[in-house]
Amino acid sequence: GQAIKKSPARKIYVCNLQTKAGETAGFAPVDFVLTIEKYLGKNVLTDIVLPRRRLAARSRRGNARQSGQHDPNQLARAIMETLKPRKPILVIDFDDTLFHTKKLKEGHPLFKEEPESVKDVDYTKYVFADAAKFLSRVKYPKIMLSHCPLQWLKYQKDKIQRSGLGKNFKKIIITHEPEKVSAMQKIISRHPSAPIFFFDDKIPVLQSIKKNFPQIKTVRLRRSASQEKVVSPYIDEEIASFAAPVIERLLHPERWG
């Protein structure tokens, strides 16, 4: 395990196509990944090749509902595609990740009931300085993935526009789904071979994304020391700001160029 961990080589995990009774029964792809990380540590695996279908269950007699073997040609193509140089996609939340929404609400108590009450407010003052610098400095493709209730859509669009941050993003997605799973699925389908890093401040959202898409690197923004510190197998890193030194290690600039 230590030899694998210390090796500078890329480490590709090809997920099992079936589970084994008494050992991995009931495992989803994320469970295989978490088991490997339990022994090797987080962020050791550089790439994960996942099956397109649900895992088959193997009985103690060795029978499975469907073939437990990878198609060698498809697997070879998947690995070769994985080895191609490609830049990561950064998927980033807006509220309290890039923009200090909590401070805006505290300074304008009527905001929640009367959004029009802040129409003359300078929203750029609520942008986290470290976030603005990060977005302008890092040239990887970036997608904003924000959540808001349907009735707030107009004001969310206005808030993003007036913050001045929209210009840094290849695409802006506003979803009504709190856990953002469906929106993330669409992002993955459009960028099937790209490494994806997901930044958010909400623990349930990060956990849900990781459970559904174990290949995604999840990063929690914990901007206040008063916020609960959580150790979770579904959160790969926790940072206080985008200026954290761990960002450089996470994004592997020497790999992506």
Side-chain angles (χ1 to χ4, degrees):
Q2 287 301 314
I4 295 175
K5 191 172 183 178
K6 292 179 181 179
S7 172
R10 289 176 65 173
K11 305 161 188 75
I12 302 174
Y13 168 58
V14 179
C15 186
N16 299 48
L17 287 182
Q18 62 185 29
T19 60
K20 188 174 182 180
E23 293 185 12
T24 57
F27 267 36
V30 67
D31 298 308
F32 284 103
V33 174
L34 292 176
T35 301
I36 293 172
E37 290 185 340
K38 177 181 177 182
Y39 296 99
L40 294 183
K42 290 187 176 183
N43 299 315
V44 174
L45 295 176
T46 55
D47 304 274
I48 300 170
V49 178
L50 296 175
R52 291 182 180 272
R53 55 178 170 79
R54 295 184 65 179
L55 305 187
R58 175 177 286 275
S59 70
R60 292 185 182 278
R61 294 182 179 181
N63 299 321
R65 292 193 297 271
Q66 51 188 316
S67 172
Q69 296 183 340
H70 287 278
D71 180 288
N73 294 321
Q74 289 186 16
L75 180 58
R77 285 195 293 271
I79 292 176
M80 292 305 294
E81 185 67 26
T82 297
L83 290 173
K84 287 181 181 178
R86 68 257 191 260
K87 291 186 177 181
I89 304 291
L90 309 186
V91 181
I92 310 175
D93 172 52
F94 180 74
D95 290 298
D96 293 315
T97 298
L98 300 173
F99 184 87
H100 206 331
T101 304
K102 183 178 179 181
K103 184 177 180 180
L104 173 66
K105 291 179 178 179
E106 289 174 347
H108 302 274
L110 295 178
F111 176 72
K112 191 170 183 179
E113 289 75 25
E114 301 176 28
E116 294 287 349
S117 65
V118 294
K119 63 181 180 180
D120 296 324
V121 173
D122 181 2
Y123 276 21
T124 62
K125 293 181 179 180
Y126 294 92
V127 173
F128 289 110
D130 60 275
K133 290 179 182 178
F134 173 80
L135 293 176
S136 63
R137 178 176 63 85
V138 177
K139 302 305 179 183
Y140 301 144
K142 294 177 280 289
I143 297 174
M144 183 187 293
L145 180 52
S146 174
H147 161 262
C148 81
L150 182 59
Q151 66 269 26
W152 280 75
L153 180 60
K154 171 186 174 182
Y155 303 107
Q156 187 72 357
K157 288 182 177 179
D158 180 62
K159 191 166 56 174
I160 292 171
Q161 180 181 3
R162 288 167 57 190
S163 73
L165 295 177
K167 62 186 178 184
N168 297 286
F169 289 87
K170 175 182 179 181
K171 189 176 183 62
I172 296 174
I173 300 172
I174 301 176
T175 178
H176 314 311
E177 179 192 18
E179 294 186 342
K180 305 181 178 179
V181 172
S182 297
M184 186 64 79
Q185 179 63 68
K186 292 179 181 178
I187 293 172
I188 293 173
S189 66
R190 294 190 183 104
H191 308 279
S193 63
I196 295 178
F197 294 82
F198 178 51
F199 299 83
D200 203 301
D201 66 303
K202 297 170 186 64
I203 296 169
V205 176
L206 290 161
Q207 291 178 327
S208 180
I209 290 296
K210 189 68 173 182
K211 288 177 182 178
N212 284 276
F213 314 110
Q215 72 273 34
I216 290 180
K217 295 292 184 183
T218 51
V219 185
R220 181 199 178 197
L221 268 292
R222 179 173 171 259
R223 290 193 171 275
S224 172
S226 62
Q227 287 180 301
E228 178 186 8
K229 184 175 178 62
V230 174
V231 177
S232 168
Y234 302 109
I235 298 176
D236 292 309
E237 292 288 348
E238 187 174 84
I239 58 177
S241 77
F242 284 101
V246 72
I247 287 288
E248 297 299 326
R249 176 174 61 79
L250 268 179
L251 298 184
H252 299 292
E254 71 282 358
R255 278 184 57 193
W256 316 117

